[in-house]
Amino acid sequence: MAGLKISRATKSFGDFDAVKDVSIEVKDGEFLAVLGPSGCGKTTLLRLVAGFEKLTSGEIHIGDRLVSGSQGSVPPEKRRVGIVFQNYALWPHMTVAQNVGYALKVAKVDKAEARRKVAEALALVNLEGLADRRPANLSGGQRQRVALARCLVAAPSLVLFDEPLANLDVHLRASMEDEFAAFHKRTGTTIVYITHDQAEAMALADRIAVMDGGRLAQLAAPRDLFREPASAMVASFIAQGMVLSAKALTAAEAGHARVEVLGQEVVVRCRPGERPREAAKICIRSSDLEIVGDKGGGFDGTVVRAIYKGGTARIEFAPASDADTHLHFDQSEPIGLDSGSAIRMRIKSGWLIPNEPAV
Ligand SMILES: Nc1ncnc2c1ncn2[C@@H]1O[C@H](COP(=O)(O)OP(=O)(O)OP(=O)(O)O)[C@@H](O)[C@H]1O
Ligand SMILES: [Mg+2]
């Protein structure tokens, strides 16, 4: 296995920067997920690591080896990188074992050794019993595991996934997530995993890189990304955080600051030493909101929508002082709020979005 170091990587197509000045270090054995809106450069970044695209500037190291840089680029087949795409194209006329062993055959690996390697790769993805089946007779999840075995048979030092579960249904996704997690734990493979599914990223990854417009917006452990977003973009992108304008009342002290938001005073968490500006922004989650009685402080609002979700409802409401802002929280059964209901809410806590996003 090997770590990955992407240093100030930029990839331009004409005068458009698909990836812009991105630096990411993935430790040996780490599971890194990459999240971001469509078109933000995730696949391009992966293709740069795999060697299918050449860097415009910057460097990429796999382990200690410089694979992309100003001196040139190591071709994809010499990088020892395995790739699993969303569209895993298996050869329909070959059995599972033949699909997995194809690259070894092309490389003229000794037959007995190839058989052993194929068996090992199939064992890694729990497909030992299906070596002689053809792809048409497998489930979607099993096919995806054949694709994974096919990439593992070459003993890659790094495995890249580009939305590998996007074509599977919800139940299969969940069981494949478990399998990927188990696979990672068992093998300690260094993994870079692109997904659109935040829950999947949170469940699987040691750290998550959020990209926005070709740039790295934040690189952090799932919990830190959720609790301490580095910018308003990350705050609203991750788990639909609510971003509100606030006025700083006191300087930050011991990781907390007092702000005024929607006419209410709130003590919010912040970076140590953060100097909040007069015009600050905070991020709150639905669990930071509570319904209060008349004397409980807080602010008035009106319920805009109540969306029943089974056991809970998502309540969307607009504060009276700012009808254009929509906030939301979850209410469990019994759900006593309908569209048009007047409520009084209080913000219990929040996170002061830093002035200077530091990745
Ligand atoms: N070969 C190319 N020539 C020109 N532009 C390209 C090329 N490849 C990608 N782009 C552009 O670069 C940007 C990033 O594309 P990329 O495929 O990396 O996005 P992505 O984050 O993977 O999106 P998605 O989530 O939709 O898969 C897009 O605007 C895309 O149109
Ligand atoms: Mg993509």
Side-chain angles (χ1 to χ4, degrees):
M1 297 308 136
L4 165 70
K5 190 172 169 195
I6 301 169
S7 317
R8 309 209 60 177
T10 294
K11 175 65 187 178
S12 315
F13 297 108
D15 55 7
F16 172 74
D17 295 338
V19 170
K20 205 167 183 174
D21 203 17
V22 169
S23 297
I24 297 176
E25 215 167 314
V26 189
K27 293 189 234 16
D28 192 358
E30 190 176 14
F31 194 130
L32 179 87
V34 183
L35 280 173
S38 185
C40 72
K42 304 181 293 294
T43 296
T44 305
L45 186 69
L46 216 69
R47 291 174 56 81
L48 287 166
V49 173
F52 298 135
E53 299 284 0
K54 291 208 164 64
L55 280 171
T56 305
S57 62
E59 287 185 344
I60 297 175
H61 286 83
I62 295 175
D64 295 332
R65 187 172 172 217
L66 180 67
V67 292
S68 302
S70 53
Q71 297 85 356
S73 183
V74 174
E77 64 278 9
K78 299 240 165 83
R79 292 193 176 202
R80 296 195 50 225
V81 167
I83 308 176
V84 182
F85 294 105
Q86 175 177 340
N87 299 311
Y88 36 88
L90 301 177
W91 289 289
H93 60 287
M94 293 187 194
T95 64
V96 165
Q98 286 164 342
N99 263 286
V100 173
Y102 184 73
L104 301 175
K105 191 172 163 191
V106 171
K108 301 205 164 46
V109 172
D110 169 74
K111 271 192 182 151
E113 185 177 343
R115 254 200 308 278
R116 185 179 56 77
K117 286 189 167 170
V118 168
E120 261 174 31
L122 287 175
L124 279 174
V125 298
N126 290 328
L127 279 182
E128 293 101 323
L130 300 180
D132 298 324
R133 286 255 190 108
R134 290 199 193 271
N137 303 327
L138 298 173
S139 72
Q142 287 166 338
R143 271 180 229 153
Q144 190 56 287
R145 279 186 274 158
V146 177
L148 178 55
R150 191 171 58 178
C151 109
L152 294 177
V153 80
S157 54
L158 174 66
V159 180
L160 310 176
F161 291 90
D162 195 349
E163 305 203 37
L165 306 183
N167 283 341
L168 305 181
D169 73 41
V170 179
H171 297 292
L172 203 47
R173 283 178 88 107
S175 72
M176 286 302 290
E177 269 173 35
D178 291 346
E179 297 232 5
F180 283 165
F183 161 75
H184 179 243
K185 207 165 166 197
R186 214 162 48 227
T187 60
T189 307
T190 310
I191 290 176
V192 179
Y193 189 101
I194 296 180
T195 175
H196 262 112
D197 186 330
Q198 297 188 10
E200 195 171 289
M202 297 261 175
L204 289 170
D206 298 312
R207 287 188 304 160
I208 298 175
V210 179
M211 289 182 68
D212 182 30
R215 291 183 180 274
L216 180 64
Q218 191 169 4
L219 175 60
R223 189 168 185 274
D224 296 337
L225 205 60
F226 182 81
R227 284 179 53 83
E228 303 181 356
S231 67
M233 179 270 161
V234 177
S236 55
F237 181 74
I238 297 295
Q240 298 186 318
M242 294 166 268
V243 176
L244 297 170
S245 297
K247 194 169 113 190
L249 298 176
T250 58
E253 211 174 297
H256 287 87
R258 184 176 290 275
V259 300
E260 186 187 311
V261 56
L262 294 168
Q264 185 210 321
E265 279 190 24
V266 193
V267 175
V268 293
R269 293 172 292 110
C270 68
R271 278 189 186 155
E274 177 77 21
R275 274 195 225 109
R277 284 178 302 190
E278 174 93 347
K281 281 192 163 38
I282 66 164
C283 168
I284 61 168
R285 305 285 172 189
S286 45
S287 57
D288 293 324
L289 285 164
E290 68 177 355
I291 302 178
V292 287
D294 285 345
K295 296 203 184 67
F299 55 93
D300 290 313
T302 308
V303 174
V304 182
R305 280 209 299 180
I307 305 159
Y308 188 62
K309 298 201 295 188
T312 60
R314 175 185 158 114
I315 309 292
E316 294 178 3
F317 74 99
S321 63
D322 183 0
D324 293 335
T325 297
H326 281 197
L327 305 180
H328 58 85
F329 63 95
D330 293 324
Q331 190 178 47
S332 10
E333 305 264 24
I335 290 143
L337 292 170
D338 274 328
S339 157
S341 306
I343 45 172
R344 194 163 177 81
M345 301 296 303
R346 191 175 83 90
I347 298 171
K348 290 188 285 184
S349 180
W351 164 251
L352 183 71
I353 294 170
N355 292 325
E356 298 286 333
V359 167

